[in-house]
């Protein structure tokens, strides 16, 4: 594995977010989880490189992040559409998405959350905070289009402690 500055891979990450998504991995209560995210991304807060991940409050991942705010983002640089589809459509409440779906949980280098071993680019984050989204602060068109059921997101802000390519 070799470290890479986040700014050198920003366009790669943004491109993958727009074209299939990336994997968000969490761990809590002895369980690993993976889900697909296509919103969020790299930013700078408090003078630190950060990754912002929006997670709907109804998702299993939300509760895991509430318990252990550490997370990883695994970015595939090859075709993993099938796996991204599984991670984005199945709930860890009912199925272990790391078992039999083409994704392998591997230890992260610096945080207590797994990475998707098959992905070439990894980001590891420690928690800086979270911000619940509220309907009254959104444009009505956005609210109607993305939040008709009012299942809002909470934005989890993670300080990037490692960014690396797998060798």
């Amino acid at each position: 594995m070799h470290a890479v500055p986040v700014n050198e891979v920003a366009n790669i990450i943004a491109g993958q977010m727009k074209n299939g998504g990336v994997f968000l991995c969490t761990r809590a209560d002895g369980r690993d989880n993976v889900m697909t995210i296509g919103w969020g991304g790299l930013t700078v807060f408090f003078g630190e490189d950060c990754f912002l991940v929006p997670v709907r409050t109804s998702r299993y991942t939300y509760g895991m992040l509430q318990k252990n705010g550490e997370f990883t983002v695994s970015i595939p640089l090859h075709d993993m559409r099938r796996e991204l589809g599984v991670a984005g459509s199945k709930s860890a409440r009912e199925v272990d998405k790391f078992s039999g779906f083409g994704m392998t949980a591997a230890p992260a280098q610096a945080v207590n959350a797994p990475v998707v071993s098959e992905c070439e680019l990894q980001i590891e984050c420690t928690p800086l905070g979270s911000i619940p989204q509220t309907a009254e602060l959104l444009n009505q068109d956005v609210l109607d289009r993305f939040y008709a059921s009012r299942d809002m997101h909470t934005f989890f802000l993670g300080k990037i402690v490692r960014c690396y390519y797998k060798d």
Side-chain angles (χ1 to χ4, degrees):
M1 296 185 196
H2 64 277
V4 59
V6 171
N7 64 319
E8 289 185 15
V9 293
N11 287 338
I12 294 169
I13 295 166
Q16 185 58 36
M17 293 282 283
K18 289 180 180 178
N19 293 296
V22 300
F23 297 102
L24 169 64
C25 300
T26 54
R27 174 178 291 145
D29 299 328
R31 291 193 65 192
D32 291 340
N33 184 39
V34 57
M35 71 175 279
T36 300
I37 58 170
W39 294 2
L42 298 171
T43 188
V44 176
F45 270 89
F46 316 119
E48 302 286 351
D49 289 327
C50 297
F51 208 102
L52 184 70
V53 294
V55 178
R56 291 185 192 268
T57 57
S58 63
R59 301 294 190 250
Y60 184 74
T61 302
Y62 173 82
M64 295 183 89
L65 284 168
Q66 293 288 78
K67 292 176 182 177
N68 172 24
E70 295 182 335
F71 62 87
T72 67
V73 179
S74 295
I75 301 98
L77 303 181
H78 67 284
D79 183 8
M80 290 189 76
R81 281 179 280 204
R82 179 184 157 278
E83 293 85 353
L84 286 160
V86 166
S89 64
K90 302 214 178 280
S91 174
R93 286 183 184 102
E94 291 127 21
V95 65
D96 175 1
K97 293 183 262 183
F98 282 117
S99 179
F101 293 105
M103 297 169 280
T104 308
Q109 293 181 0
V111 301
N112 183 23
V115 297
V116 175
S117 179
E118 291 77 13
C119 293
E120 296 86 354
L121 181 58
Q122 307 289 349
I123 294 176
E124 301 182 12
C125 299
T126 58
L128 285 177
S130 62
I131 304 152
Q133 185 179 49
T134 58
E136 52 274 355
L137 296 177
L138 286 175
N139 172 292
Q140 190 63 46
D141 292 337
V142 170
L143 191 61
D144 292 342
R145 182 172 176 200
F146 296 104
Y147 299 101
S149 69
R150 300 306 188 258
D151 184 13
M152 307 305 286
H153 284 95
T154 292
F155 297 97
F156 291 90
L157 182 64
K159 174 184 171 183
I160 297 173
V161 295
R162 294 275 193 287
C163 180
Y164 55 93
Y165 282 108
K166 280 182 38 184
D167 292 329

